Each structure stands twice: as structure tokens, then as C-alpha cells.
Amino acid sequence: MRDLPKHKGKRNQLAEVVAAKGIKDEKVLDAIKTIPRHLFLDSSFEDHAYQDKAFPIGAEQTISQPYTVAFQTELLKIKPNDKILEIGTGSGYQTAVLLHLKAKVYTVERQGELFKKTKLFFEKMNYRPKKFSFGDGYKGMPKEAPFDGIIVTAGAPEVPPALLSQLKIGGRLVIPVGIDTQIMTLFLRTSEKEFKKQELGSFRFVPLLEDKN
Ligand code: SAH
């Protein structure tokens, strides 16, 4: 598959759709206009890549809806060189958005097949996260902590304490919390022991799975 002018045109339209739903950050909209989302999907879904929808990416997982990616990214308020941890790499589309905003990205995926596939894809596309690990994101990435921002792209039954503890003071955790549907939740770390919590609407994600040993 290639990236053609018709794809660019569809991306511009998608960015308009996402903006109409309330996304204002120009850098986030620019990421949507730039990143070739059709290349993150199997070719059979190519025609759907620029609809504002989630799609299957194999192993019972999905690529998040562009609006959701934009909403979560906007909440992180990324500045260039911020250290951002992503839990749930999946197709790598959200990772590419974070890289487009010039973040240093650390990303974790627990599903083996997807990890391998996305690792090759990043190499092919020259997307360069600082670190791409295979494992359980419930534990965060203690060796690389603390982070300016942490984004969880799967529905968490509860907030993993490790993630809160790996935030810098002033850092932000964006996490969808809930079982059947999730409430997008933002935690801002205001001091060593204090967090400000904000709830920002209802979403639907595949579950965040914990490896219990
Ligand atoms: N950001 C991805 C979203 C993929 S769906 C994209 O847009 O493509 C969520 C991903 O989280 C899935 O790939 C799933 O395997 C992964 N996941 C679920 N639980 C996890 C965990 N505990 N640690 C790391 N990844 C996890």
C-alpha cells in the first residue's frame, strides 16, 4: 500500500470531522492530516481508514477512533521533548500521533502477535519511539519513570497505582476507567501525594488486561 494524494484529501476531511466534534489543538489536527492511517490497517479496511471509527487490527484488538485519539492526546498538553508513556501500543497509530507532537515516546503492548507486527511496521515507517516494550502496562515502566504524561488506550477496570506513582509533579495521566463503558479520566499530579481528578465523558475501549503473576 502507498500513500497517495487521495489519502491526503481524505485525511484533511477527517481532521475537519474531528475538529467539528470539538478538538481545537492545531498540532493534534495536523497529526491527523499527516499520519497515513490507512497504512496502520489491513488492506481490506483501507477504504474505511478515514472514517471516524475504530476498526479491528487482529488479536481481538482495535485501532482507536480518530476522535478518541485526538481527545486523549489533547488532554496530555504535550510540549516538545515531553516524556510520554503509552499503555496499549496496538496498531501504533496513537504512538505516531505522539511522535508527531515531538514527544519522547515509551510504549508497551502485552499482545505478542501485535507487538511483533507493530515493531516491524515502526521500522518500515521509520517511527522511532524511545522504547517499545512487550509486557504488562499495568506496571508502567518503572525504569524510565517519571513521565510528563501517561496515556492508557484500553479500558481499565481500576486505575493502576503504578501509573499514578510514575507521573512527574505537574504530569498528567489520561485513562479510560470502567468495565462495559469507560469514563475518560484525567489525573493531574499536584504534589508528591496529591492528584486532581477530572471526568470527561463516556467512551468504549477494549479491556486493559492485567498479567497476574
Ligand atoms: N493505541 C492503539 C489502541 C489499541 S487497543 C491503537 O490506536 O491502535 C488497546 C491495546 O491495549 C491492545 O493492543 C491491547 O492488546 C493492549 N493492552 C491491553 N491490556 C494491556 C496491558 N496490560 N499492557 C499493555 N497493553 C495492553
Side-chain angles (χ1 to χ4, degrees):
M1 272 198 286
R2 291 185 299 153
D3 191 24
L4 302 168
K6 69 167 184 185
H7 296 120
K8 176 71 184 158
K10 287 187 191 175
R11 283 202 284 282
N12 288 341
Q13 284 172 1
L14 174 61
E16 278 175 31
V17 169
V18 167
K21 292 182 181 174
I23 302 301
K24 294 196 173 63
D25 188 327
E26 284 298 332
K27 293 193 182 115
V28 174
L29 295 171
D30 189 65
I32 292 181
K33 290 180 199 165
T34 309
I35 298 165
R37 189 172 186 254
H38 64 287
L39 301 181
F40 293 73
L41 298 168
D42 291 333
S43 52
S44 50
F45 290 106
E46 187 189 344
D47 287 347
H48 304 288
Y50 296 108
Q51 295 174 18
D52 189 21
K53 287 188 182 159
F55 282 102
I57 52 173
E60 289 172 45
Q61 304 306 326
T62 55
I63 181 170
S64 299
Q65 183 181 343
Y67 169 71
T68 306
V69 172
F71 188 80
Q72 289 194 273
T73 308
E74 194 170 60
L75 287 173
L76 286 170
K77 293 200 193 291
I78 294 174
K79 299 182 298 306
N81 288 319
D82 273 1
K83 257 179 110 168
I84 305 291
L85 174 64
E86 176 191 32
I87 310 299
T89 320
S91 69
Y93 181 73
Q94 172 74 67
T95 318
V97 170
L98 299 170
L99 290 170
H100 188 83
L101 299 190
K102 303 191 164 57
K104 291 184 194 146
V105 184
Y106 299 77
T107 184
V108 189
E109 173 56 53
R110 74 172 288 282
Q111 217 290 324
E113 268 166 70
L114 263 178
F115 173 78
K116 281 189 218 147
K117 187 169 157 192
T118 300
K119 190 150 183 75
L120 289 173
F121 177 70
F122 282 164
E123 281 159 20
K124 187 171 123 202
M125 298 290 289
N126 209 18
Y127 289 129
R128 296 178 180 222
K130 285 275 166 205
K131 207 161 181 184
F132 181 16
S133 306
F134 173 57
D136 180 8
Y138 245 87
K139 303 173 184 68
M141 223 186 256
K143 279 195 195 142
E144 305 294 343
F147 297 96
D148 296 289
I150 302 178
I151 174 171
V152 180
T153 72
E158 75 253 314
V159 181
L163 300 186
L164 287 170
S165 76
Q166 289 172 29
L167 278 182
K168 287 185 191 170
I169 293 171
R172 297 165 157 254
L173 167 64
V174 177
I175 181 168
V177 185
I179 293 172
D180 294 327
T181 63
Q182 291 81 31
I183 307 289
M184 193 63 75
T185 311
L186 168 66
F187 290 90
L188 174 65
R189 186 166 204 172
T190 52
S191 73
E192 195 56 45
K193 294 219 169 93
E194 290 161 302
F195 296 85
K196 214 169 85 186
K197 176 180 165 185
Q198 241 180 303
E199 296 188 331
L200 297 151
S202 175
F203 290 80
R204 260 211 144 114
F205 286 81
V206 296
L208 183 72
L209 301 171
E210 186 173 9
D211 295 338
K212 303 262 185 196
N213 46 47

